Amino acid sequence: MIAVLKAGVSETQKNNLVNWLKSQGVGVHMSEGEFQTVIGLIGDTSRIDPDLLNGLDIIENVTRISEPFKCANRRFHPQDTVIEVGQGENKVLIGGGNFAVMAGPCSVESEEQIVGIAKAVKASGANMLRGGAFKPRTSPYDFQGLGADGLELLKVARKETGLPIVTEIMSERHLDLFEDVDIIQVGARNMQNFELLKTLGRSRKPILLKRGLSSTIKEWLMSAEYIMSGGNENIILCERGIRSYDTYTRNVLDLSAIPVVKELSHLPIIVDPSHATGKSRLVKSMSMAATAAGADGLIIEVHNDPAHALCDGAQSLTPAQFDEVAAKVRAIREIL
Ligand code: PEP
Ligand code: MN
């Protein structure tokens, strides 16, 4: 249920209302926009009589929200959420018209590799560095990532370039290791690892929540809700393609998820054209399409030597190819 307050309601009146609602056993989520204050009621609202609430002279209107996601719902929070990472000249804003370009290798392989790629993608206009240290691989015999050492190498690359870092967490047991990471990624395979999501709800780090391999948009938003209902509202959604019957591309990129998510939610949404297509030659057109469709950013795999990458070489761009993609994306942004 949401209650929209009339303009000019005093702080005391707001507080009295919020205290009364809490005393009725519901959670309260306040969204103070420039023109409107929206109070979202979370939990069991069956004890709240909407007519009674509607009758109060400080209330403009009351609506029941039928969707199961509340905190992530745009009706609870009409204005776009803007996520802020990094500091000073390296500050990055994501959402609300701000566009982020995250680029880097699938996996961190060595200091030379990650620092070299970080410098290259920064020169081409990326404003964040990606790189996996804990890798969710289909086969246990494949490279599993450098683990904690990989996180340290990402920090070295951040120190050298200033680029904030985004990297994937695989288990809640590792959360302490991620304290100094700028954005924690939850990969497609862990989108419904509810214990992990609950743990991240207790953190205040921005979370990049990838869409599950065969998850509906509503299931994805419910996973965001797990994190948000724990108190962490810093979520960026990432469309990375879903499983379908066509196997020509690695996954099928659901670009319609961008406008749908923007209708349903206030959270920023970025696109990963690398995992979506699995083919480096398709990354440029899908990056341009995602940008044109209104994405708040991109996350793109870039490797100095794709043919010898320890993970996802076929979908990785060379730094020179990334430079071209970044320029095309800037051109689309200018048209928009
Ligand atoms: C990744 O970003 O390297 C990754 C494993 O992505 P996804 O979870 O989307 O497969
Ligand atoms: Mn990858």
Side-chain angles (χ1 to χ4, degrees):
M1 195 184 291
I2 56 168
V4 179
L5 299 189
K6 284 188 177 151
V9 171
S10 72
E11 282 305 308
T12 316
Q13 286 173 307
K14 267 185 218 171
N15 290 339
N16 289 344
L17 178 62
V18 167
N19 289 338
W20 177 74
L21 288 167
K22 286 186 180 161
S23 74
Q24 299 300 301
V26 293
V28 175
H29 179 279
M30 296 285 281
S31 170
E32 313 241 12
E34 206 177 327
F35 305 108
Q36 247 187 358
T37 299
V38 177
I39 301 187
L41 309 189
I42 309 161
D44 178 11
T45 54
S46 59
R47 282 175 59 194
I48 310 283
D49 177 358
D51 293 334
L52 183 105
L53 212 51
N54 228 344
L56 299 179
D57 58 3
I58 60 169
I59 301 279
E60 181 81 42
N61 61 61
V62 176
T63 324
R64 278 210 182 273
I65 305 282
S66 50
E67 293 94 354
F69 49 95
K70 310 292 179 191
C71 302
N73 203 307
R74 190 177 278 286
R75 294 209 271 165
F76 262 48
H77 188 292
Q79 63 280 17
D80 288 341
T81 283
V82 179
I83 307 291
E84 194 180 314
V85 294
Q87 277 147 19
E89 66 188 59
N90 297 311
K91 185 156 95 177
V92 181
L93 299 176
I94 309 157
N98 303 289
F99 195 82
V101 179
M102 310 175 189
C106 180
S107 308
V108 179
E109 297 173 10
S110 68
E111 179 170 333
E112 194 189 1
Q113 175 240 22
I114 191 70
V115 172
I117 296 174
K119 287 182 177 165
V121 297
K122 182 178 182 178
S124 298
N127 48 13
M128 286 198 68
L129 175 66
R130 68 146 284 150
F134 292 90
K135 294 304 304 176
R137 302 304 301 275
T138 301
S139 165
Y141 307 117
D142 286 340
F143 176 59
Q144 302 287 307
L146 296 180
D149 293 342
L151 295 179
E152 290 311 311
L153 296 181
L154 280 167
K155 291 180 210 165
V156 172
R158 177 177 59 191
K159 198 150 179 246
E160 294 272 328
T161 58
L163 293 180
I165 51 180
V166 51
T167 190
E168 179 168 355
I169 192 166
M170 297 251 293
S171 162
E172 61 267 30
R173 287 184 289 112
H174 296 153
L175 186 60
D176 287 349
L177 295 172
F178 284 70
E179 200 164 318
D180 194 21
V181 157
D182 298 286
I183 298 183
I184 301 178
Q185 173 174 327
V186 174
R189 291 155 190 82
N190 270 316
M191 189 205 84
Q192 287 190 317
N193 180 341
F194 299 119
E195 286 308 317
L196 175 62
L197 300 179
K198 283 186 209 166
T199 302
L200 295 174
R202 292 190 287 274
S203 144
R204 290 296 172 268
K205 284 267 176 217
I207 308 296
L208 180 67
L209 180 63
K210 290 194 143 194
R211 182 176 180 181
L213 303 170
S214 40
S215 297
T216 66
I217 291 175
K218 289 206 172 157
E219 287 164 343
W220 187 17
L221 290 172
M222 287 311 289
S223 290
E225 194 74 16
Y226 259 94
I227 304 172
M228 297 177 89
S229 60
N232 185 358
E233 305 202 331
N234 299 314
I235 314 239
I236 305 148
L237 298 165
C238 178
E239 164 61 40
R240 44 79 73 209
I242 45 175
R243 284 274 167 90
S244 186
Y245 51 84
D246 196 323
T247 52
Y248 189 81
T249 51
R250 184 174 178 184
N251 292 289
V252 173
L253 179 56
D254 179 9
L255 285 179
S256 62
I258 301 165
V260 172
V261 161
K262 287 195 172 287
E263 250 171 48
L264 295 175
S265 179
H266 50 91
L267 297 173
I269 171 169
I270 70 165
V271 168
D272 175 346
S274 310
H275 290 89
T277 60
K279 293 182 167 144
S280 58
R281 68 177 190 280
L282 302 178
V283 169
K284 180 165 75 182
S285 45
M286 290 301 97
S287 298
M288 293 166 72
T291 306
D296 298 298
L298 295 165
I299 180 163
I300 298 177
E301 286 188 343
V302 178
H303 197 281
N304 52 312
D305 183 6
H308 295 101
L310 295 182
C311 182
D312 286 350
Q315 67 195 34
S316 298
L317 301 180
T318 61
Q321 289 167 330
F322 174 71
D323 190 62
E324 198 190 327
V325 171
K328 293 279 186 208
V329 167
R330 274 196 299 278
I332 299 277
R333 292 276 300 157
E334 271 165 37
I335 296 166
L336 293 176

